[in-house]
mmCIF file of all heavy atoms in Angstrom:
data_model
loop_
_atom_site.group_PDB
_atom_site.id
_atom_site.type_symbol
_atom_site.label_atom_id
_atom_site.label_comp_id
_atom_site.label_asym_id
_atom_site.label_seq_id
_atom_site.Cartn_x
_atom_site.Cartn_y
_atom_site.Cartn_z
ATOM 1 N N ALA P 539 -138.698 135.709 1.386
ATOM 2 C CA ALA P 539 -137.600 136.633 1.673
ATOM 3 C C ALA P 539 -137.960 137.601 2.799
ATOM 4 O O ALA P 539 -137.099 137.970 3.599
ATOM 5 C CB ALA P 539 -137.218 137.409 0.416
ATOM 6 N N GLU P 540 -139.226 137.996 2.893
ATOM 7 C CA GLU P 540 -139.631 138.932 3.939
ATOM 8 C C GLU P 540 -139.494 138.312 5.328
ATOM 9 O O GLU P 540 -139.102 138.974 6.279
ATOM 10 C CB GLU P 540 -141.078 139.402 3.717
ATOM 11 C CG GLU P 540 -141.260 140.279 2.505
ATOM 12 C CD GLU P 540 -141.286 139.489 1.195
ATOM 13 O OE1 GLU P 540 -141.544 138.261 1.233
ATOM 14 O OE2 GLU P 540 -141.029 140.094 0.158
ATOM 15 N N VAL P 541 -139.814 137.020 5.439
ATOM 16 C CA VAL P 541 -139.686 136.326 6.727
ATOM 17 C C VAL P 541 -138.218 136.186 7.093
ATOM 18 O O VAL P 541 -137.825 136.424 8.238
ATOM 19 C CB VAL P 541 -140.377 134.939 6.661
ATOM 20 C CG1 VAL P 541 -140.117 134.147 7.920
ATOM 21 C CG2 VAL P 541 -141.855 135.105 6.418
ATOM 22 N N LEU P 542 -137.386 135.832 6.127
ATOM 23 C CA LEU P 542 -135.953 135.694 6.379
ATOM 24 C C LEU P 542 -135.339 137.040 6.741
ATOM 25 O O LEU P 542 -134.455 137.110 7.607
ATOM 26 C CB LEU P 542 -135.266 135.099 5.155
ATOM 27 C CG LEU P 542 -133.917 134.451 5.381
ATOM 28 C CD1 LEU P 542 -134.019 133.347 6.418
ATOM 29 C CD2 LEU P 542 -133.384 133.892 4.081
ATOM 30 N N ALA P 543 -135.826 138.117 6.142
ATOM 31 C CA ALA P 543 -135.339 139.462 6.486
ATOM 32 C C ALA P 543 -135.727 139.820 7.920
ATOM 33 O O ALA P 543 -134.930 140.422 8.651
ATOM 34 C CB ALA P 543 -135.902 140.483 5.508
ATOM 35 N N ARG P 544 -136.921 139.437 8.341
ATOM 36 C CA ARG P 544 -137.355 139.695 9.718
ATOM 37 C C ARG P 544 -136.492 138.922 10.709
ATOM 38 O O ARG P 544 -136.109 139.441 11.757
ATOM 39 C CB ARG P 544 -138.824 139.311 9.869
ATOM 40 C CG ARG P 544 -139.433 139.789 11.150
ATOM 41 C CD ARG P 544 -140.927 139.567 11.228
ATOM 42 N NE ARG P 544 -141.531 139.136 9.984
ATOM 43 C CZ ARG P 544 -142.411 138.144 9.868
ATOM 44 N NH1 ARG P 544 -142.828 137.513 10.931
ATOM 45 N NH2 ARG P 544 -142.917 137.823 8.698
ATOM 46 N N TRP P 545 -136.151 137.674 10.374
ATOM 47 C CA TRP P 545 -135.283 136.879 11.242
ATOM 48 C C TRP P 545 -133.889 137.497 11.335
ATOM 49 O O TRP P 545 -133.276 137.510 12.404
ATOM 50 C CB TRP P 545 -135.182 135.455 10.741
ATOM 51 C CG TRP P 545 -136.446 134.670 10.859
ATOM 52 C CD1 TRP P 545 -137.574 134.993 11.557
ATOM 53 C CD2 TRP P 545 -136.715 133.414 10.245
ATOM 54 N NE1 TRP P 545 -138.517 134.017 11.403
ATOM 55 C CE2 TRP P 545 -138.033 133.036 10.613
ATOM 56 C CE3 TRP P 545 -135.996 132.580 9.422
ATOM 57 C CZ2 TRP P 545 -138.612 131.853 10.183
ATOM 58 C CZ3 TRP P 545 -136.580 131.395 8.995
ATOM 59 C CH2 TRP P 545 -137.876 131.033 9.378
ATOM 60 N N ALA P 546 -133.373 137.993 10.218
ATOM 61 C CA ALA P 546 -132.043 138.610 10.218
ATOM 62 C C ALA P 546 -132.036 139.888 11.044
ATOM 63 O O ALA P 546 -131.066 140.156 11.763
ATOM 64 C CB ALA P 546 -131.602 138.894 8.789
ATOM 65 N N ARG P 547 -133.108 140.687 10.953
ATOM 66 C CA ARG P 547 -133.194 141.902 11.767
ATOM 67 C C ARG P 547 -133.246 141.549 13.245
ATOM 68 O O ARG P 547 -132.625 142.208 14.074
ATOM 69 C CB ARG P 547 -134.419 142.730 11.380
ATOM 70 C CG ARG P 547 -134.252 143.485 10.098
ATOM 71 C CD ARG P 547 -135.326 144.531 9.914
ATOM 72 N NE ARG P 547 -136.686 144.054 10.089
ATOM 73 C CZ ARG P 547 -137.441 143.559 9.139
ATOM 74 N NH1 ARG P 547 -136.977 143.469 7.911
ATOM 75 N NH2 ARG P 547 -138.675 143.157 9.380
ATOM 76 N N ARG P 548 -133.961 140.509 13.600
ATOM 77 C CA ARG P 548 -134.059 140.088 14.999
ATOM 78 C C ARG P 548 -132.709 139.586 15.498
ATOM 79 O O ARG P 548 -132.297 139.895 16.622
ATOM 80 C CB ARG P 548 -135.127 139.003 15.139
ATOM 81 C CG ARG P 548 -135.340 138.525 16.553
ATOM 82 C CD ARG P 548 -135.898 139.655 17.398
ATOM 83 N NE ARG P 548 -135.975 139.294 18.781
ATOM 84 C CZ ARG P 548 -137.096 139.209 19.453
ATOM 85 N NH1 ARG P 548 -138.240 139.472 18.869
ATOM 86 N NH2 ARG P 548 -137.080 138.863 20.710
ATOM 87 N N ALA P 549 -131.980 138.827 14.673
ATOM 88 C CA ALA P 549 -130.666 138.316 15.062
ATOM 89 C C ALA P 549 -129.654 139.441 15.224
ATOM 90 O O ALA P 549 -128.747 139.348 16.056
ATOM 91 C CB ALA P 549 -130.168 137.309 14.032
ATOM 92 N N ALA P 550 -129.812 140.521 14.465
ATOM 93 C CA ALA P 550 -128.898 141.662 14.565
ATOM 94 C C ALA P 550 -129.275 142.599 15.702
ATOM 95 O O ALA P 550 -128.543 143.538 15.999
ATOM 96 C CB ALA P 550 -128.881 142.428 13.254
ATOM 97 N N GLY P 551 -130.407 142.385 16.339
ATOM 98 C CA GLY P 551 -130.826 143.218 17.446
ATOM 99 C C GLY P 551 -131.579 144.463 17.037
ATOM 100 O O GLY P 551 -131.747 145.376 17.832
ATOM 101 N N LEU P 552 -132.061 144.533 15.792
ATOM 102 C CA LEU P 552 -132.795 145.700 15.325
ATOM 103 C C LEU P 552 -134.265 145.659 15.706
ATOM 104 O O LEU P 552 -134.898 146.704 15.826
ATOM 105 C CB LEU P 552 -132.671 145.833 13.801
ATOM 106 C CG LEU P 552 -131.254 146.053 13.280
ATOM 107 C CD1 LEU P 552 -131.257 146.038 11.763
ATOM 108 C CD2 LEU P 552 -130.680 147.339 13.811
ATOM 109 N N ASP P 553 -134.838 144.493 15.858
ATOM 110 C CA ASP P 553 -136.252 144.331 16.230
ATOM 111 C C ASP P 553 -136.352 143.752 17.629
ATOM 112 O O ASP P 553 -136.745 142.615 17.832
ATOM 113 C CB ASP P 553 -136.967 143.398 15.246
ATOM 114 C CG ASP P 553 -137.217 144.041 13.918
ATOM 115 O OD1 ASP P 553 -137.034 145.259 13.810
ATOM 116 O OD2 ASP P 553 -137.604 143.320 12.979
ATOM 117 N N GLY P 554 -135.974 144.523 18.621
ATOM 118 C CA GLY P 554 -136.042 144.040 19.989
ATOM 119 C C GLY P 554 -134.726 143.447 20.437
ATOM 120 O O GLY P 554 -133.730 143.477 19.717
ATOM 121 N N PRO P 555 -134.698 142.892 21.633
ATOM 122 C CA PRO P 555 -133.450 142.348 22.159
ATOM 123 C C PRO P 555 -133.032 141.094 21.409
ATOM 124 O O PRO P 555 -133.861 140.342 20.889
ATOM 125 C CB PRO P 555 -133.791 142.015 23.611
ATOM 126 C CG PRO P 555 -135.257 141.839 23.621
ATOM 127 C CD PRO P 555 -135.805 142.763 22.561
ATOM 128 N N ARG P 556 -131.724 140.902 21.353
ATOM 129 C CA ARG P 556 -131.196 139.704 20.691
ATOM 130 C C ARG P 556 -131.551 138.484 21.503
ATOM 131 O O ARG P 556 -131.591 138.521 22.730
ATOM 132 C CB ARG P 556 -129.685 139.791 20.559
ATOM 133 C CG ARG P 556 -129.254 140.869 19.610
ATOM 134 C CD ARG P 556 -127.768 140.910 19.490
ATOM 135 N NE ARG P 556 -127.333 139.666 18.867
ATOM 136 C CZ ARG P 556 -126.070 139.350 18.667
ATOM 137 N NH1 ARG P 556 -125.130 140.145 19.072
ATOM 138 N NH2 ARG P 556 -125.741 138.226 18.087
ATOM 139 N N ARG P 557 -131.798 137.402 20.825
ATOM 140 C CA ARG P 557 -132.081 136.154 21.523
ATOM 141 C C ARG P 557 -130.776 135.466 21.856
ATOM 142 O O ARG P 557 -129.879 135.380 21.039
ATOM 143 C CB ARG P 557 -132.945 135.251 20.653
ATOM 144 C CG ARG P 557 -134.319 135.802 20.452
ATOM 145 C CD ARG P 557 -135.179 134.823 19.736
ATOM 146 N NE ARG P 557 -136.500 135.390 19.552
ATOM 147 C CZ ARG P 557 -137.460 134.777 18.905
ATOM 148 N NH1 ARG P 557 -137.262 133.597 18.394
ATOM 149 N NH2 ARG P 557 -138.630 135.343 18.788
ATOM 150 N N VAL P 558 -130.693 134.959 23.066
ATOM 151 C CA VAL P 558 -129.500 134.264 23.525
ATOM 152 C C VAL P 558 -129.860 132.803 23.707
ATOM 153 O O VAL P 558 -130.912 132.475 24.262
ATOM 154 C CB VAL P 558 -128.994 134.871 24.849
ATOM 155 C CG1 VAL P 558 -127.761 134.144 25.338
ATOM 156 C CG2 VAL P 558 -128.728 136.347 24.676
ATOM 157 N N ALA P 559 -128.981 131.939 23.240
ATOM 158 C CA ALA P 559 -129.234 130.508 23.361
ATOM 159 C C ALA P 559 -129.285 130.110 24.831
ATOM 160 O O ALA P 559 -128.522 130.608 25.655
ATOM 161 C CB ALA P 559 -128.151 129.717 22.644
ATOM 162 N N ARG P 560 -130.182 129.217 25.172
ATOM 163 C CA ARG P 560 -130.302 128.754 26.547
ATOM 164 C C ARG P 560 -129.168 127.805 26.893
ATOM 165 O O ARG P 560 -128.673 127.067 26.072
ATOM 166 C CB ARG P 560 -131.614 128.004 26.738
ATOM 167 C CG ARG P 560 -132.808 128.865 26.682
ATOM 168 C CD ARG P 560 -134.009 128.030 26.990
ATOM 169 N NE ARG P 560 -135.219 128.807 26.929
ATOM 170 C CZ ARG P 560 -136.393 128.326 27.199
ATOM 171 N NH1 ARG P 560 -136.525 127.066 27.565
ATOM 172 N NH2 ARG P 560 -137.456 129.088 27.111
ATOM 173 N N SER P 561 -128.814 127.811 28.127
ATOM 174 C CA SER P 561 -127.835 126.868 28.634
ATOM 175 C C SER P 561 -128.604 125.696 29.232
ATOM 176 O O SER P 561 -129.489 125.895 30.059
ATOM 177 C CB SER P 561 -126.969 127.540 29.690
ATOM 178 O OG SER P 561 -126.121 126.585 30.269
#
Side-chain angles (χ1 to χ4, degrees):
E540 292 78 20
V541 173
L542 200 57
R544 192 173 351 134
W545 292 347
R547 284 194 309 271
R548 182 65 187 243
L552 297 175
D553 287 349
R556 293 181 66 183
R557 293 187 180 177
V558 179
R560 290 184 181 182
S561 174

